[in-house]
Coordinates of all heavy atoms in Angstrom, one line a residue:
V351 N 74.5 -35.2 -6.5 CA 73.5 -36.1 -5.9 C 72.2 -36.1 -6.7 O 71.7 -37.2 -7.1 CB 73.3 -35.8 -4.4 CG1 72.0 -36.6 -3.9 CG2 74.5 -36.1 -3.6
E352 N 71.7 -34.9 -7.0 CA 70.5 -34.8 -7.8 C 70.7 -35.4 -9.2 O 69.8 -36.1 -9.8 CB 70.1 -33.3 -7.9 CG 69.7 -32.8 -6.6 CD 69.2 -31.3 -6.7 OE1 69.3 -30.8 -7.8 OE2 68.8 -30.7 -5.7
L353 N 71.8 -35.1 -9.9 CA 72.1 -35.5 -11.2 C 72.2 -37.1 -11.2 O 71.6 -37.7 -12.1 CB 73.4 -34.9 -11.7 CG 73.8 -35.3 -13.2 CD1 72.7 -34.9 -14.2 CD2 75.1 -34.6 -13.5
N354 N 72.9 -37.6 -10.3 CA 73.1 -39.1 -10.2 C 71.7 -39.8 -10.1 O 71.5 -40.8 -10.7 CB 74.0 -39.5 -9.1 CG 75.5 -39.2 -9.4 OD1 75.8 -39.0 -10.6 ND2 76.3 -39.2 -8.4
R355 N 70.9 -39.2 -9.2 CA 69.6 -39.8 -9.0 C 68.8 -39.8 -10.3 O 68.1 -40.8 -10.6 CB 68.8 -39.0 -7.9 CG 67.5 -39.7 -7.5 CD 66.7 -38.8 -6.5 NE 67.5 -38.6 -5.3 CZ 67.8 -37.4 -4.9 NH1 67.5 -36.3 -5.5 NH2 68.5 -37.2 -3.7
Y356 N 68.8 -38.7 -11.0 CA 68.1 -38.6 -12.2 C 68.6 -39.6 -13.3 O 67.9 -40.3 -14.0 CB 68.1 -37.2 -12.8 CG 67.4 -37.1 -14.1 CD1 66.0 -37.2 -14.2 CD2 68.1 -36.9 -15.3 CE1 65.3 -37.0 -15.4 CE2 67.4 -36.8 -16.5 CZ 66.0 -36.9 -16.5 OH 65.3 -36.8 -17.7
L357 N 69.9 -39.6 -13.4 CA 70.5 -40.5 -14.4 C 70.2 -42.0 -14.2 O 69.9 -42.8 -15.1 CB 72.1 -40.3 -14.5 CG 72.6 -39.0 -15.0 CD1 74.1 -38.9 -14.9 CD2 72.1 -38.7 -16.4
R358 N 70.3 -42.4 -12.9 CA 70.0 -43.8 -12.5 C 68.6 -44.1 -12.8 O 68.2 -45.2 -13.3 CB 70.4 -44.0 -11.1 CG 71.8 -44.1 -10.8 CD 72.1 -44.7 -9.4 NE 73.5 -44.7 -9.0 CZ 74.1 -43.8 -8.3 NH1 73.4 -42.8 -7.8 NH2 75.4 -44.0 -8.0
G359 N 67.7 -43.2 -12.5 CA 66.3 -43.4 -12.7 C 65.9 -43.5 -14.2 O 65.2 -44.4 -14.6
W360 N 66.4 -42.6 -15.0 CA 66.1 -42.6 -16.4 C 66.7 -43.8 -17.1 O 66.0 -44.5 -17.8 CB 66.7 -41.3 -17.0 CG 66.0 -41.0 -18.4 CD1 65.0 -40.2 -18.6 CD2 66.5 -41.5 -19.7 NE1 64.7 -40.1 -19.9 CE2 65.6 -40.9 -20.6 CE3 67.5 -42.3 -20.1 CZ2 65.7 -41.2 -22.0 CZ3 67.6 -42.5 -21.5 CH2 66.7 -42.0 -22.4
M361 N 67.9 -44.1 -16.8 CA 68.5 -45.3 -17.5 C 67.9 -46.6 -17.0 O 67.8 -47.5 -17.7 CB 70.1 -45.3 -17.2 CG 70.8 -44.1 -17.9 SD 70.6 -44.1 -19.7 CE 71.5 -45.6 -20.1
G362 N 67.5 -46.6 -15.7 CA 66.9 -47.8 -15.2 C 65.5 -48.1 -15.9 O 65.2 -49.2 -16.2
Y363 N 64.7 -47.0 -16.1 CA 63.5 -47.2 -16.8 C 63.7 -47.5 -18.3 O 63.0 -48.4 -18.8 CB 62.6 -45.9 -16.7 CG 61.3 -46.0 -17.4 CD1 60.3 -46.7 -16.8 CD2 61.1 -45.4 -18.6 CE1 59.0 -46.9 -17.4 CE2 59.8 -45.5 -19.2 CZ 58.8 -46.3 -18.6 OH 57.6 -46.4 -19.3
F364 N 64.6 -46.9 -18.9 CA 64.8 -47.1 -20.4 C 65.8 -48.1 -20.7 O 66.3 -48.2 -21.8 CB 65.1 -45.7 -21.1 CG 63.9 -44.8 -21.2 CD1 63.8 -43.8 -20.3 CD2 63.0 -45.0 -22.1 CE1 62.7 -42.9 -20.4 CE2 61.9 -44.2 -22.2 CZ 61.7 -43.1 -21.4
R365 N 66.1 -49.0 -19.7 CA 67.1 -50.0 -20.0 C 66.6 -51.0 -21.0 O 67.5 -51.8 -21.5 CB 67.5 -50.7 -18.7 CG 66.4 -51.5 -18.0 CD 66.9 -52.2 -16.7 NE 65.9 -53.0 -16.1 CZ 65.0 -52.6 -15.2 NH1 65.0 -51.3 -14.9 NH2 64.1 -53.4 -14.7
L366 N 65.3 -51.1 -21.2 CA 64.8 -52.0 -22.2 C 65.4 -51.7 -23.6 O 65.5 -52.6 -24.5 CB 63.3 -52.0 -22.3 CG 62.5 -52.6 -21.2 CD1 61.0 -52.5 -21.5 CD2 62.9 -54.0 -21.0
S367 N 65.7 -50.4 -23.8 CA 66.2 -50.0 -25.2 C 67.7 -50.5 -25.3 O 68.5 -50.3 -24.4 CB 66.2 -48.5 -25.3 OG 66.8 -48.1 -26.5
K368 N 68.0 -51.1 -26.4 CA 69.4 -51.5 -26.7 C 70.0 -50.6 -27.7 O 71.1 -50.8 -28.2 CB 69.4 -52.9 -27.2 CG 69.0 -54.0 -26.1 CD 69.1 -55.4 -26.7 CE 69.0 -56.4 -25.5 NZ 67.7 -56.3 -24.8
Y369 N 69.3 -49.4 -28.0 CA 69.8 -48.4 -28.9 C 70.6 -47.4 -28.1 O 70.0 -46.6 -27.4 CB 68.7 -47.8 -29.7 CG 69.1 -46.8 -30.7 CD1 69.8 -47.1 -31.8 CD2 68.7 -45.4 -30.5 CE1 70.2 -46.1 -32.7 CE2 69.0 -44.5 -31.4 CZ 69.8 -44.8 -32.5 OH 70.1 -43.8 -33.4

Side-chain angles (χ1 to χ4, degrees):
V351 169
E352 293 180 358
L353 181 61
N354 286 344
R355 185 186 301 121
Y356 178 71
L357 292 176
R358 287 194 181 100
W360 199 91
M361 294 300 295
Y363 180 75
F364 286 101
R365 67 180 183 270
L366 287 185
S367 173
K368 293 182 169 57
Y369 180 65

